[in-house]
C-alpha cells in the first residue's frame, strides 16, 4: 500500500464508513466482479471482497454514480446515506479475513467511474 493512503482508510481493524462523503461504492456479485477486474486490468482501483456476502466493491468519487441505472447494471450503488464495512489497510489475505482487499488500497482508493461502468456492462 502507498504511504500516502487516504485519511479515511482504516488501520488496525476495519470500520463501517459512510458512503457519499469520500466516495460512492459500487457493489456487484463476485462472479460479475471477477469478470470486471479482468476487463479493467490495471485501470481498476482497489477492490473490497466480502467472501460471506460473495460481493466485490469498488470506490468511485462521491456523486459519480448519480444517474447510474443500478437495475440495468445489476449493481448496488452505495451513495449518501448508506455505509460500508471497509477492511483495514493491511487486510490483504483472503485466508485470514472474510472482508479483505482483493486489490490492495492505493493513494486514492478510487476507480474511474466511466471505466468501471464500461467494465461492468461488458462483464454482464
Amino acid at each position: 500500500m502507498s504511504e500516502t493512503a487516504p485519511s479515511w482508510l482504516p488501520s488496525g481493524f476495519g470500520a463501517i464508513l459512510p458512503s457519499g462523503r469520500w466516495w460512492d461504492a459500487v457493489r456487484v456479485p463476485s462472479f460479475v466482479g471477477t469478470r470486471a477486474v479482468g476487463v479493467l486490468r490495471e485501470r481498476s482501483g482497489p477492490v473490497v471482497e466480502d467472501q460471506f456476502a460473495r460481493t466485490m466493491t469498488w470506490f468511485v468519487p462521491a456523486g459519480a454514480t448519480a444517474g447510474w441505472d443500478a437495475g440495468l447494471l445489476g449493481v448496488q450503488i452505495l451513495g449518501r446515506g448508506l455505509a460500508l464495512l471497509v477492511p483495514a489497510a493491511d487486510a490483504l489475505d483472503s485466508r485470514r479475513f472474510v472482508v479483505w482487499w482483493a486489490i490492495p488500497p492505493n493513494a486514492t482508493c478510487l476507480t474511474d467511474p466511466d471505466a468501471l461502468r464500461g467494465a461492468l456492462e461488458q462483464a454482464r
Side-chain angles (χ1 to χ4, degrees):
M1 182 187 68
S2 170
E3 291 181 26
T4 59
S7 61
W8 56 262
L9 190 64
S11 62
F13 296 99
I16 296 174
L17 299 179
S19 300
R21 181 174 178 188
W22 301 287
W23 37 260
D24 285 351
V26 178
R27 178 185 290 158
V28 300
S30 290
F31 71 92
V32 175
T34 300
R35 291 182 198 152
V37 166
V39 172
L40 284 167
R41 298 181 183 255
E42 67 281 343
R43 295 177 298 146
S44 180
V47 177
V48 171
E49 185 165 7
D50 182 329
Q51 296 182 96
F52 183 75
R54 296 184 178 157
T55 59
M56 295 176 81
T57 304
W58 282 262
F59 300 96
V60 296
T65 57
W68 281 35
D69 181 353
L72 175 67
L73 296 175
V75 302
Q76 181 181 12
I77 304 296
L78 303 174
R80 186 168 298 282
L82 297 172
L84 175 71
L85 173 59
V86 178
D90 63 352
L92 303 173
D93 185 347
S94 66
R95 295 169 297 178
R96 293 183 50 220
F97 301 98
V98 173
V99 179
W100 67 294
W101 292 98
I103 297 178
N106 61 22
T108 67
C109 288
L110 300 177
T111 297
D112 176 86
D114 293 330
L116 177 58
R117 185 176 176 142
L120 290 173
E121 289 171 346
Q122 286 184 37
R124 299 284 304 156

